[in-house]
């Protein structure tokens, strides 16, 4: 009897130990021990000119964004999340390199035929992740240059995303309002035929080719307001000249579907269940950048004209990519980072009713300024981190920035941080800490602002206080501006004169952060 009892108790003990072992194994799969590298799939969803107030999760109910809201509800909605710049090329440079864009004097809004901006010798975000065993891709807007400045678009393209760490790329070279209006897959323009080569120029038009000026009747879908009056394609005038390549030209209305399908195809081809390796996908949507030409099934859905409809379309795209992750069983092992390259702009060069149909909607929310601006709305953007089952839903006031993706994700996957500018704020991105950065240098149109703690300093600059074409306050003024944004998020009260000691402290801190001679009362910083 004692023998049977002993065997019975031993069996119970064995079962308990096995159950504990299985439980610990499951726990280790869902969350590694502290300090242990993790290798989730990483999806960066990056919108173009989406404002802080354009996402209804950020406090407005004027524009429906249910899929973005669901991401925010299930993850971390950051209230102090920043791009590095108030314009697109510099922000994308900062995200992918982990380097402040103002350190590179060429990091400005690039024409469509600009040379590659990123030095191919540096360790970029995709390169770092490749070192950790990731398969990498970019789908969507690139706008960081291609080649050496003398590109033959009909030949194999070098100096492109494949040369800075991406295994696969399916992109537009620049923006939807710039030539060339074609898709590029890896090193080739998609759909070109030998008998109709494409030519692109930003210097002069090709003889006999129509433009928006010479042939205004070609503008059947949108008309230019400022700056977009050169080659016309698909009834829309663009920046830059273009000839030929008819079989390769995109159809704006289909662009969201084209990029979405390519993103899904990459996930299919690189599902870790098949490859044994995680993937990194940089999914860079074109919405709501001009020209805003959503698919007909989204037209009229927002009640705000093409800009609102384009945001509704982008929200749908996010919903579809999240459905894909769920359907393929990848949601619980994918870190999703959602943000925008800069703040909002309404009239950015086309007559598209963005101003006339805005209604009560405030694209920047409570913030001042917008795209191109040193004020908060230029760089403070929607910023969400989501990882099903790993990140606890919350709202975080931590100061976070896209420039820190490199350093933070390096920590996540057990790699060395290659950039001195990119800080490790992984704990904030995972919701394990409410502390992010202590300070941040921000850029807009070649000028800098500085945030430290609750304060923002905009130094004195020469220039116009208002960009009249886009009707956005620039933040430029002949005297320094200091704001406590916890008390004054709309930056309406300049406290520089009321708090001279704090002003001096912020100037000194900014000078130290920038690391070069800093002129506080002249037109610009001396960046050398």
């Amino acid at each position: 009897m004692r023998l049977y009892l002993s065997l019975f108790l031993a069996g119970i003990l064995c079962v308990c130990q096995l159950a504990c072992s299985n439980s610990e194994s499951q726990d280790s799969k869902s969350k590694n021990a502290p300090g242990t590298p993790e290798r989730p799939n990483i999806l960066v969803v990056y919108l173009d000119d989406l404002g802080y107030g354009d996402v209804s999760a950020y406090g407005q109910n004027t524009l429906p964004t249910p899929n973005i809201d669901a991401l925010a509800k299930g993850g971390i909605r950051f209230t102090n999340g920043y791009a590095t710049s108030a314009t697109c090329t510099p922000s994308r440079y900062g995200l992918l390199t982990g380097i402040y864009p103002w350190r590179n004097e060429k990091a400005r809004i690039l024409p469509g035929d600009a040379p590659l901006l990123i030095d191919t010798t540096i360790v970029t975000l995709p390169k770092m992740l490749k070192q950790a065993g990731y398969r990498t891709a970019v789908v969507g807007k690139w706008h960081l240059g291609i080649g050496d400045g003398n590109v033959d678009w009909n030949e194999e393209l070098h100096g492109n995303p494949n040369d800075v760490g991406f295994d696969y790329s399916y992109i537009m070279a620049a923006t939807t309002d710039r030539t060339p209006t074609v898709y590029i897959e890896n090193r080739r323009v998609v759909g070109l035929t030998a008998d109709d080569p494409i030519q692109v120029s930003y210097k002069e038009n090709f003889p006999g080719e129509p433009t928006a000026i010479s042939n205004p009747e070609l503008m059947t879908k949108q008309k230019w307001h400022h700056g977009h009056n050169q080659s016309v394609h698909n009834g829309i005038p663009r920046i830059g000249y273009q000839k030929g390549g008819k079989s390769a030209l995109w159809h704006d209305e289909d662009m969201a579907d084209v990029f979405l399908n390519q993103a899904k195809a990459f996930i299919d081809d690189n599902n870790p269940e098949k490859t044994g390796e995680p993937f990194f996908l940089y999914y860079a949507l074109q919405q709501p950048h001009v020209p805003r030409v959503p698919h007909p099934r989204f037209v009229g859905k927002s009640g705000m004209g093409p800009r609102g409809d384009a945001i509704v379309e982008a929200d749908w795209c996010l919903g579809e990519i999240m459905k894909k992750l769920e359907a393929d069983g990848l949601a619980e092992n994918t870190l999703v980072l959602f943000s925008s390259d800069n703040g909002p702009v309404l009239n950015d060069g086309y007559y598209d009713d963005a101003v006339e149909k805005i209604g009560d909607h405030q694209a920047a929310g409570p913030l001042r300024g917008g795209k191109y601006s040193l004020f908060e709305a230029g760089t403070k953007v929607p910023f969400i981190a989501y990882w099903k089952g790993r990140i606890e839903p919350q709202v975080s006031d931590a100061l976070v920035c896209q420039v820190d993706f490199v350093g933070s994700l390096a920590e996540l996957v057990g790699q060395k941080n290659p950039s001195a500018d990119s800080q490790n704020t992984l704990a904030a991105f995972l919701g394990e800490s409410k502390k992010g950065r202590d300070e941040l240098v921000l850029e807009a149109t070649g000028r800098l602002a500085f945030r430290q703690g609750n304060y923002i300093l905009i130094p004195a600059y020469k220039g116009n206080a208002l960009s009249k074409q886009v009707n956005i306050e620039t933040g430029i003024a002949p005297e320094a501006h200091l704001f406590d944004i916890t008390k004054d998020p709309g930056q309406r009260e300049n406290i520089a004169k009321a708090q001279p000691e704090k002003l001096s402290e912020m100037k000194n801190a900014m000078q130290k952060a920038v690391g070069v001679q800093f002129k506080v009362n002249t037109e610009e910083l001396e960046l050398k």
Side-chain angles (χ1 to χ4, degrees):
M1 184 69 181
R2 289 181 179 177
L3 176 61
Y4 289 133
L5 182 59
S6 297
L7 289 172
F8 177 71
L9 292 174
I12 292 176
L13 180 61
C14 181
V15 170
C16 289
Q17 288 175 335
L18 181 60
C20 288
S21 176
N22 287 339
S23 176
E24 289 171 2
S25 176
Q26 291 299 317
D27 287 345
S28 68
K29 287 181 181 179
S30 63
K31 183 174 181 179
N32 290 1
T36 303
E38 299 183 66
R39 292 204 312 164
N41 306 307
I42 299 169
L43 170 63
V44 173
V45 181
Y46 207 47
L47 268 71
D48 196 352
D49 297 353
L50 187 75
Y52 191 87
D54 283 327
V55 174
S56 56
Y58 277 84
Q60 291 194 86
N61 295 310
T62 47
L63 181 62
T65 53
N67 294 298
I68 305 174
D69 296 350
L71 202 72
K73 185 177 180 180
I76 308 171
R77 178 172 65 83
F78 290 99
T79 63
N80 285 301
Y82 288 83
T84 53
S85 172
T87 52
C88 48
T89 295
S91 290
R92 292 161 198 272
Y93 179 87
L95 185 155
L96 291 176
T97 65
I99 300 170
Y100 275 134
W102 48 266
R103 296 196 189 279
N104 185 336
E105 62 181 10
K106 296 180 181 179
R108 299 289 184 266
I109 301 174
L110 296 181
D113 62 350
L116 181 65
L117 181 63
I118 299 174
D119 185 342
T120 57
T121 66
I122 67 173
V123 178
T124 60
L125 176 58
K127 278 186 182 180
M128 181 272 292
L129 291 172
K130 277 171 66 71
Q131 291 171 359
Y134 279 72
R135 299 189 175 203
T136 61
V138 53
V139 172
K141 176 178 173 177
W142 179 238
H143 208 189
L144 287 163
I146 290 177
D148 59 3
N150 187 28
V151 175
D152 183 346
W153 300 95
N154 306 283
E155 300 295 330
E156 191 171 87
L157 301 174
H158 293 274
N160 75 339
N162 300 83
D163 296 303
V164 296
F166 289 106
D167 296 317
Y168 177 77
S169 61
Y170 194 101
I171 61 167
M172 69 171 92
T175 59
T176 43
D177 60 343
R178 286 174 172 80
T179 62
T181 53
V182 296
Y183 299 116
I184 301 167
E185 185 172 27
N186 293 321
R187 300 192 184 278
R188 290 282 183 179
V189 172
V190 176
L192 272 182
T193 58
D195 61 342
D196 185 25
I198 189 170
Q199 300 178 65
V200 176
S201 174
Y202 276 74
K203 294 179 181 179
E204 58 183 358
N205 193 19
F206 300 98
E209 289 297 304
T211 68
I213 300 294
S214 66
N215 293 81
E217 74 279 1
L218 296 177
M219 297 184 291
T220 57
K221 293 182 180 177
Q222 287 192 16
K223 292 180 170 59
W224 64 281
H225 178 272
H226 60 269
H228 298 74
N229 55 22
Q230 297 174 333
S231 285
V232 182
H233 162 57
N234 193 30
I236 303 165
R238 319 280 171 158
I239 301 171
Y241 301 103
Q242 179 174 278
K243 178 182 179 180
K246 301 299 184 186
S247 61
L249 301 181
W250 69 48
H251 193 246
D252 299 72
E253 291 86 341
D254 296 331
M255 184 173 286
D257 289 336
V258 169
F259 284 146
L260 176 62
N261 289 335
Q262 292 298 327
K264 288 181 176 180
F266 174 78
I267 293 172
D268 280 334
D269 294 342
N270 294 273
N271 189 316
E273 292 294 324
K274 290 193 303 186
T275 67
E277 300 292 350
F279 64 76
F280 164 57
L281 174 57
Y282 170 46
Y283 180 31
L285 283 71
Q286 83 279 9
Q287 303 102 325
H289 194 282
V290 295
R292 296 137 182 165
V293 192
H295 191 276
R297 65 183 183 272
F298 296 102
V299 172
K301 295 298 183 182
S302 70
M304 297 181 190
R307 183 178 186 274
D309 296 344
I311 294 173
V312 171
E313 180 182 57
D315 180 79
W316 173 83
C317 289
L318 173 67
E320 291 300 297
I321 209 74
M322 296 306 295
K323 287 179 186 177
K324 176 66 175 174
L325 295 178
E326 287 283 356
D328 291 0
L330 300 173
E332 292 185 357
N333 195 35
T334 301
L335 170 62
V336 181
L337 297 167
F338 175 94
S339 197
S340 174
D341 62 351
N342 49 250
V345 57
L346 299 183
N347 181 344
D348 205 16
Y350 294 93
Y351 288 104
D352 67 357
D353 289 335
V355 175
E356 292 80 1
K357 293 185 176 180
I358 190 70
D360 295 331
H361 180 68
Q362 295 179 336
L367 308 180
R368 187 176 181 181
K371 183 178 181 179
Y372 312 111
S373 177
L374 286 164
F375 286 124
E376 279 273 83
T379 50
K380 182 180 279 190
V381 290
F383 204 124
I384 300 166
Y386 175 91
W387 185 349
K388 185 177 180 180
R390 177 70 166 82
I391 288 178
E392 293 293 329
Q394 59 193 276
V395 176
S396 175
D397 296 330
L399 177 58
V400 294
C401 183
Q402 296 158 14
V403 76
D404 296 325
F405 284 177
V406 170
S408 303
L409 295 177
E411 176 71 13
L412 179 70
V413 303
Q415 293 293 304
K416 181 180 179 182
N417 180 0
S419 173
D421 287 337
S422 187
Q423 295 184 12
N424 173 17
T425 56
L426 180 63
F429 286 137
L430 296 182
E432 296 167 356
S433 172
K434 294 293 187 181
K435 179 175 172 51
R437 279 178 160 263
D438 293 321
E439 59 187 33
L440 181 62
V441 182
L442 300 162
E443 184 268 339
T445 62
R447 300 172 177 87
L448 303 185
F450 180 66
R451 174 163 178 181
Q452 186 181 66
N454 297 331
Y455 291 87
I456 285 185
L457 168 67
I458 302 177
Y461 294 112
K462 294 178 181 178
N464 296 319
L466 180 72
S467 178
K468 292 183 180 179
Q469 287 184 330
V470 294
N471 194 32
I472 289 175
E473 291 182 286
T474 62
I476 297 170
E479 68 281 345
H481 278 64
L482 180 66
F483 303 98
D484 181 345
I485 59 169
T486 56
K487 299 177 180 178
D488 180 24
Q491 295 178 290
R492 297 299 172 185
E493 183 183 359
N494 180 11
I495 59 174
K497 292 182 179 179
Q499 298 189 31
E501 292 184 359
K502 188 63 182 180
L503 176 64
S504 178
E505 177 188 323
M506 288 290 287
K507 286 181 178 179
N508 291 334
M510 183 174 182
Q511 181 173 342
K512 183 178 179 180
V514 171
V516 293
Q517 184 178 357
F518 174 43
K519 291 186 175 181
V520 296
N521 287 307
T522 56
E523 184 174 359
E524 58 186 315
L525 296 172
E526 289 188 351
L527 303 178
K528 299 179 181 178

